Amino acid sequence: METVRWVFAGQLGETFDDGGRMLLIEARSVLRKYPIHRAKAHLILSAIRHRAAELGDRVEFHQVDTYREVVEGRDDLQVIDPTSYSARRFVRRMGAEVLPSRGFVTTEEEFAEWVAGRKRLVMEDFYRAVRQRTGILMEGDSPRGGQWNYDHDNRQPPPKGHDRLHLPDPWWPEEDDIDAGVRADLDRWQEAGEVHLVGDDGPRRFAATGAEAERALKEFVDYRLADFGPYEDAMLSGDWTMAHSLLSAPMNLGLIDPRHVIDTVAAEHAAGNVPLRSAEGFIRQICGWRDWIWHLYWHLGEDFATANNRLKAHVDLPREFTELDGAAIEANCLSTTIDGVREHGWAHHIPRLMVIGNWALQRGYDPKQLNDWFISMFVDGTPWVMPANVVGMSQHADGGVVATKPYASGGAYINRMSDFCGGCRFDPKKRVGDDACPYTAGYWAFLDRVEPEIRGNNRMAQPLAGLARLSDREEVVEQERHRDTL
Ligand SMILES: Cc1cc2nc3c(=O)[nH]c(=O)nc-3n(C[C@H](O)[C@H](O)[C@H](O)COP(=O)(O)OP(=O)(O)OC[C@H]3O[C@@H](n4cnc5c(N)ncnc54)[C@H](O)[C@@H]3O)c2cc1C
Ligand code: SF4
């Protein structure tokens, strides 16, 4: 009997297609489960429908309420192992033949070999092993240029006196009839109360086909990659994309293969068109961070996101977050970032980590709620990408498995790395008073609150010594306890 390759929304590109018959299901129940950013719902539906159109006669395409209606009782299904625990259970319950997962640089088998018997789980160790195994940016046994990592040269603040980097705009997709159909469906379902859409409707900004992802990659490499390294951590109020690639969503949809992205960037460097610090910085994001986070999702186990709350953070997410109401937020950095998420369903990694995550950490927001909020509100949000990034790295709810210390910082970091503070009613240097920066004061109040939990962490000894010396500690803590606006 001929098998049919059943593909999910994370498997929409060539990597997951071996040429036979395909099954693609647009199941509306998935969109009904949680509130979802309109741009994300649009992107996923657009990508599925574009793929169905591309595959033509080779695909069985169903637009239904649930997957079960289509797959129950069939014995001809084959799947590439999908990307979440629940999907993996489901395909096995449905009796599908399961092939090993694809779409990452390191396979699950290779990761299992690497991790076996290891006490220390550090991304940098993993990344170096990947480079050695694959030969990416290697010269024999040595890293190209003699260094593994150019972070020291990168991570620069934004250029002074500019509110943009003045790079050409990223490549933007042109919407077509499929997008118009998606938009009309979303309008109808929202009106009927069938979906809870959050965020603005606007032109689609992220690639929805393999060809579009290729265009986005090419223009990134031609016009933006060289500036990626130096400005990867910088933020400017008039430049929501900076020099970032906007490729996470198409990569997570399976539209473009990460190894192809890496090889394209490495070739551009080899041709002398891109400095090593930018090429290496970008490649590390993909075969380092992206793969690391993926493998940790399986390695740390299904209950990692629910079982960990080491800092005892139980505050519910505020309305300003759940409704993406940046206008109601006074802190300029947070207001601008949440507004950007409302508009695009995206922010680069520093606003995610050091503005949103840092705020949530300081204010004690529930890490699982924050995990689910990120999945719902970001175009590239998936169940596998959040636990290590949000519960582990950004909220330190695991007590230090993913990151050795909490990513908490005061307003000084945001002031150095952005132009937000100039337009803010708060002063990043002040911790007490009406204009005290909520990040600066919040940082000390956070340390005061979690001191019992982090006292044993050597890397927190210095900040805790600073807290002990703080002359106005009680005043700061009291002030932040009563802060009732964001
Ligand atoms: C709190 C928090 C939440 C995040 N949520 C997501 C998410 O929902 N989906 C997502 O893909 N990434 C997430 N990231 C990682 C990173 O912020 C995004 O991948 C990146 O901002 C996407 O934009 P870009 O494609 O322009 O990335 P670039 O800055 O151009 O980076 C290139 C690529 O590196 C990969 N990458 C880099 N860091 C990570 C990482 N920590 N985890 C996974 N991939 C990484 C992405 O695929 C990205 O496309 C999160 C990070 C943090 C700190
Ligand atoms: S002063 Fe504080 S709240 Fe205002 S933008 Fe700077 S860091 Fe953010």
Side-chain angles (χ1 to χ4, degrees):
M1 185 186 15
E2 195 190 358
T3 55
V4 178
R5 171 74 53 80
W6 170 17
V7 286
F8 287 87
Q11 306 178 329
L12 297 174
E14 301 283 303
T15 305
F16 302 88
D17 179 4
D18 294 329
R21 293 201 54 75
M22 310 279 274
L23 168 65
L24 197 47
I25 304 171
E26 178 186 306
R28 206 182 308 169
S29 58
V30 176
L31 296 181
R32 272 206 302 267
K33 278 191 192 156
Y34 316 100
I36 183 167
H37 198 297
R38 183 165 178 133
K40 176 177 179 151
H42 185 126
L43 180 65
I44 294 173
L45 293 177
S46 178
I48 292 176
R49 293 180 190 183
H50 276 100
R51 186 63 176 148
E54 270 168 16
L55 289 169
D57 291 348
R58 267 208 302 133
V59 71
E60 248 184 74
F61 179 44
H62 299 268
Q63 292 174 294
V64 288
D65 206 43
T66 65
Y67 289 111
R68 195 178 280 273
E69 299 168 41
V70 181
V71 296
E72 196 153 46
R74 288 179 70 149
D75 58 3
D76 59 347
L77 298 178
Q78 182 191 64
V79 297
I80 291 169
D81 225 357
T83 59
S84 71
Y85 283 98
S86 57
R88 285 195 174 182
R89 270 195 299 274
F90 183 63
V91 298
R92 284 165 175 77
R93 261 205 320 274
M94 292 299 113
E97 178 198 349
V98 181
L99 305 179
S101 62
R102 299 181 189 174
F104 294 86
V105 177
T106 298
T107 64
E108 290 181 51
E109 207 179 359
E110 286 162 342
F111 183 80
E113 266 171 41
W114 177 83
V115 83
R118 237 164 232 278
K119 288 209 178 70
R120 208 173 92 122
L121 273 185
V122 179
M123 199 292 285
E124 187 67 26
D125 297 347
F126 168 72
Y127 169 63
R128 291 180 189 190
V130 173
R131 294 226 349 234
Q132 279 162 328
R133 194 191 76 240
T134 57
I136 294 169
L137 289 185
M138 294 295 289
E139 279 161 0
D141 291 338
S142 305
R144 191 174 172 91
Q147 278 172 240
W148 291 102
N149 184 318
Y150 293 85
D151 269 356
H152 184 67
D153 304 332
N154 290 335
R155 300 192 161 170
Q156 290 176 15
K160 282 224 172 335
H162 296 269
D163 78 339
R164 315 176 30 106
L165 280 184
H166 294 297
L167 295 172
D169 263 0
W171 169 84
W172 300 129
E174 263 177 44
E175 291 198 7
D176 59 11
D177 290 350
I178 290 180
D179 289 294
V182 167
R183 181 161 286 113
D185 284 347
L186 288 175
D187 284 343
R188 219 181 42 253
W189 298 340
Q190 187 172 25
E191 228 166 88
E194 287 183 45
V195 290
H196 179 175
L197 301 175
V198 185
D200 292 351
D201 183 18
R204 175 166 63 79
R205 290 305 197 191
F206 297 86
T209 67
E212 287 188 350
E214 198 60 47
R215 286 285 307 279
L217 169 64
K218 179 161 179 11
E219 297 217 6
F220 168 69
V221 165
D222 287 350
Y223 302 117
R224 316 169 69 71
L225 173 59
D227 288 284
F228 176 87
Y231 298 124
E232 65 179 302
D233 286 1
M235 302 173 278
L236 283 170
S237 47
D239 197 338
W240 67 278
T241 64
M242 300 294 284
H244 292 273
S245 69
L246 309 184
L247 286 171
S248 54
M251 265 192 283
N252 295 354
L253 287 167
L255 297 172
I256 189 163
D257 195 79
R259 183 63 203 251
H260 168 65
V261 174
I262 288 172
D263 290 344
T264 306
V265 167
E268 203 66 14
H269 165 65
N273 300 332
V274 176
L276 181 57
R277 67 177 184 170
S278 283
E280 187 282 319
F282 184 76
I283 285 171
R284 175 150 35 90
Q285 302 306 310
I286 298 184
C287 67
W289 279 110
R290 181 174 187 270
D291 263 58
W292 178 243
I293 294 290
W294 159 255
H295 291 295
L296 286 187
Y297 175 67
W298 303 108
H299 183 73
L300 298 173
E302 186 168 7
D303 66 351
F304 179 79
T306 44
N308 284 303
N309 195 347
R310 194 71 71 83
L311 298 183
K312 303 189 173 92
H314 297 294
V315 176
D316 288 337
L317 256 54
R319 191 196 61 78
E320 291 82 347
F321 271 52
T322 55
E323 293 178 17
L324 297 178
D325 188 359
I329 300 175
E330 285 188 296
N332 191 35
C333 51
L334 186 62
S335 166
T336 309
T337 302
I338 295 288
D339 264 348
V341 178
R342 195 196 69 239
E343 215 176 318
H344 310 292
W346 184 93
H348 77 68
H349 71 128
I350 294 300
R352 292 188 207 205
L353 185 64
M354 301 311 291
V355 178
I356 297 175
N358 190 14
W359 180 280
L361 176 69
Q362 292 185 1
R363 305 289 148 182
Y365 292 174
D366 182 277
K368 175 65 170 62
Q369 281 186 32
L370 189 70
N371 184 82
D372 296 350
W373 177 84
F374 267 108
I375 296 178
S376 295
M377 297 304 159
F378 281 73
V379 285
D380 53 9
T382 64
W384 65 262
V385 88
M386 289 316 169
N389 270 319
V390 176
V391 175
M393 182 164 25
S394 123
Q395 299 304 294
H396 206 70
D398 58 357
V401 177
V402 175
T404 49
K405 70 180 186 107
Y407 272 92
S409 82
Y413 174 84
I414 294 172
N415 193 24
R416 186 168 71 253
M417 296 308 293
S418 77
D419 63 349
F420 292 138
C421 300
C424 186
R425 87 158 191 80
F426 300 113
D427 180 343
K429 294 195 196 65
K430 290 217 179 137
R431 60 174 179 263
V432 182
D434 183 49
D435 60 348
C437 166
Y439 282 89
T440 303
Y443 173 75
W444 295 113
F446 163 74
L447 288 183
D448 179 85
R449 191 180 76 244
V450 303
E451 187 178 9
E453 274 74 43
I454 60 174
R455 207 177 283 130
N457 182 338
N458 286 343
R459 296 199 62 200
M460 294 310 288
Q462 216 179 347
L464 288 178
L467 178 70
R469 284 196 304 271
L470 213 63
S471 52
D472 45 15
R473 174 171 174 172
E474 276 179 29
E475 205 182 336
V476 175
V477 170
E478 197 54 23
Q479 168 188 282
E480 292 312 301
R481 191 171 293 138
H482 292 105
R483 191 180 288 281
D484 54 4
T485 56
L486 272 62

